[in-house]
Amino acid sequence: MESCHLVPGDLLALEGGRMLLPCDSVLVHGTCVVNECMLTGESVPVTKTCLPRDHSQQPWQTSCADDYRRHVLFCGTEVIQAKGGGKEPAKAVVLRTGFNTAKGELVRSILYPKPVNFRLYKDAIRFLMFLIGIAAIGMVYAVCVFTLNGEEAGEVVKKALDVITIAVPPALPAALTTGIIYTQRRLRKKGIFCISPQRINVCGQLNLICFDKVRRLLSGLESRGGK
């Protein structure tokens, strides 16, 4: 069933073969073996147990003795095996759908990443403000000089604006954007894609990159005697 037909509180019967979960749900009956590599990157299946029956007045996330995520079936993960009790199938209650799920939050973080204030951008703004200050001083000086020399008002305005364009290049933002676009094309030819092009300017300052999953893969190969 698609997520557009589900609302929080619906009861799902998990039966049949392998299935992809369309929503976040809490397991209330039975056990499930789930592949969560889409969310966590771990290839080892995880066993989900049903939510223990507790008459406490506290929310179920806080009343659980262990991690409450052991009872949650996340959207986008694959149920490998589902077992119920007796003749009844495993059952789960819908918690969240759409972009409110764990998968939806992951997609939102990719599409709309949080703004990061790099020192490069702060220095660029300071440099731009410095150029604007110099341009303001030059504009005042030019207005005073040409006014004392008896120049016409239109000519004085042209000369003042000319000083501003000399001190602050108007093509500076366009040049920076063109450089980023050219860099994206070069990376695309090598099969590298960037979801935040503004961070390409900072990559030149990196001298060490760590990949967690690659490290685990290499350690697993070494333990098996691989090269």
Side-chain angles (χ1 to χ4, degrees), residues 120-143:
L120 175 65
Y121 297 150
K122 294 181 180 179
D123 294 343
I125 293 176
R126 292 175 182 173
F127 177 70
L128 185 60
M129 297 301 295
F130 176 72
L131 292 180
I132 292 175
I134 294 178
I137 296 173
M139 182 182 67
V140 173
Y141 178 77
V143 170

Side-chain angles (χ1 to χ4, degrees), residues 152-182:
E152 297 181 357
E155 192 69 20
V156 172
V157 173
K158 291 180 181 179
K159 296 297 183 181
L161 294 178
D162 203 14
V163 172
I164 296 178
T165 55
I166 292 174
V168 183
L172 182 60
L176 294 176
T177 305
T178 304
I180 294 176
I181 294 175
Y182 179 69

Side-chain angles (χ1 to χ4, degrees), residues 11 21 25 42 53 83 91 102-103 120 135 188 192 201:
L11 185 63
L21 294 171
S25 56
E42 300 290 345
R53 296 187 178 182
K83 292 183 179 180
K91 298 179 181 179
K103 179 182 178 181
L120 175 65
R188 191 181 305 166
I192 302 174
N201 294 330

Side-chain angles (χ1 to χ4, degrees), residues 207-227:
N207 54 14
L208 178 62
I209 302 176
C210 299
F211 298 94
D212 183 44
K213 300 306 173 186
V214 175
R215 179 183 60 81
R216 294 184 180 181
L217 177 61
L218 293 176
S219 62
L221 292 176
E222 291 177 357
S223 63
R224 297 179 184 180
K227 296 183 180 179

Side-chain angles (χ1 to χ4, degrees), residues 53-89:
R53 296 187 178 182
D54 190 2
H55 300 285
S56 175
Q57 299 297 328
Q58 297 180 355
W60 63 273
Q61 291 95 335
T62 58
S63 61
C64 294
D66 51 357
D67 189 3
Y68 73 92
R69 288 176 294 182
R70 294 178 58 88
H71 314 301
V72 178
L73 305 175
F74 294 101
C75 175
T77 58
E78 182 183 11
V79 177
I80 301 176
Q81 185 181 16
K83 292 183 179 180
K87 297 182 180 180
E88 295 184 0

Side-chain angles (χ1 to χ4, degrees), residues 177-197:
T177 305
T178 304
I180 294 176
I181 294 175
Y182 179 69
T183 307
Q184 278 187 293
R185 292 180 179 178
R186 292 182 59 188
L187 293 175
R188 191 181 305 166
K189 293 180 181 179
K190 297 182 178 295
I192 302 174
F193 300 91
C194 181
I195 60 175
S196 182

